[in-house]
Amino acid sequence: MLARPSLSIGLRLLAACLAVMAATAHAALPIEHWSRPDGAEVFFVESRAVPIIDAQIDFDAGSRREPAPMAGLASVTAGMLDKGVRADGNAPPMNEDALDDAWADLGAQFGAGAGNDRFSFTLRSLADPALLARAAALAARQIGEPSFPDAVWTTERQRIAAALREAETRPGTRAARLYDKAVFGQHPYGSETTEASLQAITTAAMREFHARLRPCGAKISIVGALDRSQADQLASALLSRLKAQACAPLPAVPRVQPLALAQDIRQPFKSAQAHVYIGQPGIARADPDYFALTVGNYILGGGGFVSRLTQQVREQRGLSYSVYSSFDPALDAGAFTIGLQTRPDQAAQAVGVVREVLATFVADGPTEAELKAAKDNLVGGFPLRLDSNAKLVGNVANIAWNHLPLDYLDTWTARVEAVGVADIRAAFQRVLQPERMVTVVVGGAS
């Protein structure tokens, strides 16, 4: 997906990247926001530390917007965007090799991808006006004029189908698929790309899905050595090949439903390690207890070697090399997950220990000492979240996508510091029900 930079321009880009790693964190840089006449929203941070521009464009066109029989449509559509662009006026068509060469000549990087919620484009270029203009023009063609060649899709479909078959030979993949299905049921967050759904996807379906991308639905995040006027010109250039039409409200997506009962799924598999997932639907990003749950999860299983799960499962009992817990908040409730790998004959014991640690944590919350250590680590590590333009644009895009306040980065540490033991205990008791979770264990010979 990312083009190869040519040597001379690539060295300049590398030097700039190394320089930005040494740059001061950007927490105090203000975020400017405005709406364009075409309806797109722009979120911009002017950063002159290095001569680089990073941009991300997000649309509400992730996998939750796919037709059910075409699971995988969003991701394969994104994957086909670097396979060629069609002719337009005096601009000739370009195939994948021509696009690779063009990006290499520019020393720039462009990509497209799709998750559950978002369909996204990213661009990184030197800020040199001539190079940036050419990079924006090329990106605009890939964003707005993909050719979706049938012959290439036929080959790609075979490649992806083979990858799916190979993935099914791995216990971790099998466990993850069983887990997603059990946690999300029929909700699109649990949809799975299969060989049957790939067969249902055609290039015509990709064109129809891609046609939903309109400037009025775009959220554009830009960080770099530009002023506001130049940032607006860049936003205009990037969207210039999309149809400028009004956006009708998108249909509502069904909500993620809480689990009614616990599920215990065990599947034999000839493997040296059993793969274990325990969890349930968690929270949406807009949840008011986001900070309490973030800090609490660091203590429970997000803090690596200092977490309770690691102490109990790995350090005290030697049941696993690693164990973690995580929330995956999205527009709707993403999963709360505890994951580990263990020897198959130890799986039942490991599951029992995890359940006990989780139930105790939900009932009692953390200690004051655990809370202080978690806050010190999270606050102390905060600058590392912003120590490059690439990380900063990701944070700005997160703010844009989730409707967070523009001073979110400036208030982040204060909101972490404000979390108390009672806040964590109340939040975990409201959100998690240890007695109604999904447990998936895949591993051990049949």
Side-chain angles (χ1 to χ4, degrees):
M1 187 64 65
L2 299 179
R4 301 182 305 273
S6 61
L7 181 59
S8 58
I9 299 177
L11 288 175
R12 291 167 61 191
L13 185 57
L14 175 61
C17 290
L18 292 174
V20 77
M21 292 174 67
T24 304
H26 300 291
L29 293 175
I31 301 174
E32 296 185 69
H33 168 237
W34 64 94
S35 296
R36 292 177 36 78
D38 56 16
E41 293 184 73
V42 183
F43 298 77
F44 170 59
V45 173
E46 181 175 345
S47 173
R48 302 281 179 177
V50 291
I52 288 178
I53 307 299
D54 281 283
Q56 179 170 329
I57 310 173
D58 294 315
F59 296 89
D60 186 352
S63 61
R64 70 182 190 141
R65 297 291 181 187
E66 298 167 343
M70 297 186 188
L73 175 60
S75 63
V76 300
T77 299
M80 286 289 288
L81 289 175
D82 66 353
K83 306 306 180 187
V85 297
R86 62 180 183 267
D88 182 70
N90 294 327
M94 302 173 71
N95 61 19
E96 183 177 8
D97 290 339
L99 287 171
D100 282 349
D101 290 343
W103 284 115
D105 287 343
L106 290 167
Q109 299 171 348
F110 176 80
N116 283 339
D117 292 330
R118 288 189 257 185
F119 193 107
S120 305
F121 299 95
T122 57
L123 172 67
R124 163 167 277 205
S125 170
L126 289 167
D128 177 271
L131 287 174
L132 180 59
R134 290 169 56 197
L138 184 58
R141 292 197 67 189
Q142 284 193 242
I143 293 170
E145 299 172 345
S147 56
F148 297 119
D150 286 309
V152 174
W153 171 234
T154 298
T155 302
E156 280 295 296
R157 180 160 50 194
Q158 294 171 347
R159 182 188 63 78
I160 297 170
L164 291 176
R165 289 192 292 273
E166 190 277 333
E168 275 296 310
T169 67
R170 288 182 263 130
T173 302
R174 184 81 61 84
R177 288 174 176 171
L178 290 170
Y179 177 74
D180 285 345
K181 197 65 181 176
V183 168
F184 294 113
Q186 298 302 312
H187 190 274
Y189 283 179
S191 67
E192 177 186 344
T193 304
T194 64
E195 291 191 59
S197 70
L198 285 175
Q199 286 300 320
I201 296 172
T202 64
T203 54
M206 294 179 198
R207 292 186 182 91
E208 182 178 350
F209 193 81
H210 173 267
R212 302 175 187 179
L213 307 183
R214 305 285 174 79
C216 51
K219 291 182 182 294
I220 308 171
S221 302
I222 301 172
V223 173
L226 296 172
D227 60 27
R228 173 170 171 152
S229 174
Q230 292 168 322
D232 194 62
Q233 292 174 26
L234 174 60
S236 178
L238 291 172
L239 300 178
S240 62
R241 304 285 178 148
L242 292 176
K243 290 184 178 179
Q245 298 179 0
C247 290
L250 294 172
V253 177
R255 299 300 308 272
V256 173
Q257 297 300 306
L259 299 179
L261 298 168
Q263 293 188 63
D264 202 335
I265 302 170
R266 312 287 171 127
Q267 187 169 101
F269 201 100
K270 291 184 178 178
S271 58
Q273 293 281 297
H275 292 249
V276 178
Y277 291 107
I278 299 172
Q280 63 168 86
I283 58 168
R285 182 57 184 82
D287 192 288
D289 285 328
Y290 173 80
F291 280 93
L293 294 165
T294 297
V295 177
N297 183 66
Y298 182 91
I299 299 165
L300 173 63
F305 288 107
V306 300
S307 75
R308 276 200 191 185
L309 284 169
T310 297
Q311 288 298 314
Q312 294 293 323
V313 176
R314 171 187 158 127
E315 299 299 321
Q316 295 192 18
R317 296 174 176 83
L319 295 172
S320 178
Y321 181 77
S322 67
V323 55
Y324 70 90
S325 66
S326 65
F327 285 96
D328 187 21
L331 290 181
D332 203 341
F336 165 78
T337 304
I338 296 173
L340 63 93
Q341 296 177 41
T342 187
R343 246 175 37 208
D345 64 313
Q346 296 178 326
Q349 184 186 1
V351 168
V353 173
V354 166
R355 286 175 172 170
E356 181 180 348
V357 171
L358 175 62
T360 300
F361 190 83
V362 171
D364 301 334
T367 65
E368 289 287 354
E370 287 176 321
L371 179 58
K372 181 180 185 308
K375 287 181 180 179
D376 289 347
N377 191 288
L378 289 168
V379 171
F382 179 73
L384 297 178
R385 298 171 179 238
L386 305 169
D387 62 356
S388 71
N389 273 22
K391 291 181 183 178
L392 187 54
V393 80
N395 277 282
V396 174
N398 178 53
I399 290 168
W401 185 253
N402 292 294
H403 308 286
L404 301 176
L406 295 183
D407 65 351
Y408 175 78
L409 297 177
D410 294 316
T411 62
W412 192 91
T413 56
R415 299 192 69 176
V416 168
E417 292 283 14
V419 172
V421 167
D423 300 321
I424 294 173
R425 183 167 55 241
F428 271 72
Q429 289 179 356
R430 178 180 67 81
V431 171
L432 298 184
Q433 297 79 44
E435 74 283 4
R436 278 191 279 131
M437 290 195 170
V438 168
T439 301
V440 174
V441 179
V442 174
S446 57

